[in-house]
Amino acid sequence: MPGRSPAGPAADPDLDIWRTLPIAQQPTWSEHAHYAESIAELGSRPPLVFAGEVDVLRERLAAAAQGKAFLLQGGDCAETFAGATADKISARVKTILQMAVVLTYGASMPVIKMGRMAGQFAKPRSSNDETRDGVTLPAFRGEIVNGFDFTPESRAHDPRRMVEAYNTSSSTLNLIRAFTQGGFADLRSVHSWNKGFMANPAHTAYEQLAGEIDRAVRFMDACGADFEALKRTEFFASHEALLLDYERALTRTDSRTSQPYDTSGHFLWIGERTRQLDGAHVDFLSRVRNPIGVKLGPNTTPEDALALIEKLDPNREPGRLTFITRMGAKNIREKLPNLVQKVTESGAQVLWVTDPMHGNTVTSENGYKTRKFDDVMDEVRGFFEVHDSLGTYPGGLHVEMTGDDVAECLGGADPIRQEQFDDLYESVCDPRLNHKQSLEMAFLVSGALAKRGIQS
Ligand SMILES: O=C[C@H](O)[C@H](O)COP(=O)(O)O
Ligand SMILES: C=C(OP(=O)(O)O)C(=O)O
Ligand SMILES: [Mn+2]
């Protein structure tokens, strides 16, 4: 049937227009001996997500855009193949679920849970190369492109890695689905994990809130709440749609609607470095039905934002477009108001989410890429302040985090110090909040959400 190929990549020629447009941050591998076969292999594999799930997510995000839900999106800056173990995946899912319970209580509304997981393998970089001790090699661009080891073999771009990224995403997603549907996500277990966090004397400031949640759970139990239903939860997969070879090969025509869906994940975002209006990324993502995010840095003008809306969400469909602002703590109070105001005046209904990580990266005195917990929280506070003052809705949180006890970001109530980096810094790209810092952030944001609830 013309234009319809449910078993392989969608055939619509418009899905290839991006190939004629300027494109940033791509690997140099089109002449590689294994390029064509790797793309063909991906094209023959089953979709990772079902288009119906993607539609459900769009509805959930529409509710968030209307101030009736809150998005929690978190995970590694860069997933790795070796890091896709049961322990690490379960720790990350567990931490996101723990954060979500705390946020649900504060917001008194549903929290949409989404991992930067099962596909977050491609990284845009500031520089094409990296030099160490006088040796210059291609920069690490995420394991879907090349290896982290600093050798010429490892840093060579290899398209076969796309198939490995697909396989790793598939097994990660399988485990996420098992955890979130098979009883692991039971509200009572999640709540009891949070009691472990409270046992740390550093966290006494959160005792009142934790106590309130505890009473709420016991109250629900006493009322005979259906805890069976609370044993399962929705959980969505997302990543930056940077590597268009991969995204295109996994784009399928949905047999129900005949529309193209990028089945590599439920939600895809365009990064700050690839959001050029006439560039390949904006064009390609404008043509798939998934909900789309765009990162907006401090230099974004209201005109840029309005033009992105016009291209990516011409029908002004709630849930279609999320703006993920990453201004930096120093800029947010100055830069965000004008943007939100002009977008709101235009009548567009986007979902506003804060990424308090990427505008707050610094280098520690001992040479590690890091972020201060206080700066991160300051940006989150600024985000809430701006939306409060404009009467708009701060609809979500996008964080680089892990469930493990790493030392990558500085500070927190049980503070991480730079001396710990040599032993406990594991990220292959940006620094992540560790398990405790992530939960602490959830308690702080929950408090902010609860205050809004009382005000409204
Ligand atoms: O995750 C985001 C980017 O890939 C990352 O911040 C770029 O880092 P770099 O400036 O070290 O290249
Ligand atoms: C690359 C990233 O962010 P940004 O595009 O905002 O720099 C990221 O989210 O890891
Ligand atoms: Mn990052």
Side-chain angles (χ1 to χ4, degrees), residues 76-78 116 120 123-124 240 269 273 295 355 357-358 361 369 371 398 400 427 429-431:
D76 290 335
C77 174
R116 283 176 64 112
Q120 180 51 23
K123 296 313 301 172
E240 177 173 350
W269 76 87
R273 294 170 179 79
K295 294 281 202 91
D355 162 2
M357 313 301 293
H358 287 90
T361 313
K369 217 178 179 190
R371 291 156 178 158
H398 177 120
E400 290 184 338
S427 177
C429 197
D430 287 342

Side-chain angles (χ1 to χ4, degrees), residues 154-340:
S154 151
R155 289 293 171 96
H157 297 179
D158 186 341
R160 286 170 293 188
R161 286 176 168 273
M162 285 192 285
V163 178
E164 195 168 352
Y166 170 91
N167 290 337
T168 310
S169 299
S170 171
S171 55
T172 301
L173 204 49
N174 183 51
L175 198 58
I176 293 175
R177 291 187 196 281
F179 281 147
T180 54
Q181 299 303 314
F184 179 80
D186 189 321
L187 174 67
R188 289 164 297 187
S189 333
V190 177
H191 174 60
S192 74
W193 299 331
N194 278 354
K195 287 185 179 162
F197 171 79
M198 291 313 306
N200 184 333
H203 299 141
T204 46
Y206 310 114
E207 246 163 26
Q208 190 190 334
L209 190 48
E212 285 174 27
I213 299 174
D214 194 43
R215 274 191 296 283
V217 173
R218 281 190 279 130
F219 174 72
M220 283 166 70
D221 211 358
C223 292
D226 181 6
F227 277 102
E228 267 313 298
L230 296 172
K231 279 187 177 167
R232 283 177 293 281
T233 190
E234 288 178 344
F235 196 104
F236 299 97
S238 71
H239 62 267
E240 177 173 350
L242 179 69
L243 196 55
L244 293 191
D245 279 334
Y246 181 78
E247 304 304 336
R248 174 64 182 96
L250 287 171
T251 297
R252 304 280 189 270
T253 305
D254 174 27
S255 54
R256 305 164 312 153
T257 60
S258 300
Q259 300 279 314
Y261 285 71
D262 183 345
T263 64
S264 68
H266 300 105
F267 178 94
L268 303 159
W269 76 87
I270 305 174
E272 164 72 356
R273 294 170 179 79
T274 51
R275 61 173 173 76
Q276 298 80 14
L277 218 43
D278 298 316
H281 292 83
V282 169
D283 185 86
F284 179 70
L285 288 158
S286 74
R287 299 178 193 280
V288 296
R289 275 295 285 148
N290 307 58
I292 302 298
V294 186
K295 294 281 202 91
L296 301 180
N299 297 326
T300 315
T301 63
E303 292 68 37
D304 294 337
L306 293 173
L308 283 165
I309 293 171
E310 203 47 51
K311 281 225 166 179
L312 293 167
D313 183 22
N315 302 323
R316 307 290 191 271
E317 186 183 5
R320 161 69 176 172
L321 186 59
T322 297
F323 278 153
I324 307 168
T325 62
R326 31 88 87 220
M327 303 276 158
K330 288 193 182 69
N331 299 317
I332 186 154
R333 292 170 180 84
E334 181 198 331
K335 306 269 183 175
L336 186 61
N338 194 25
L339 220 51
V340 176

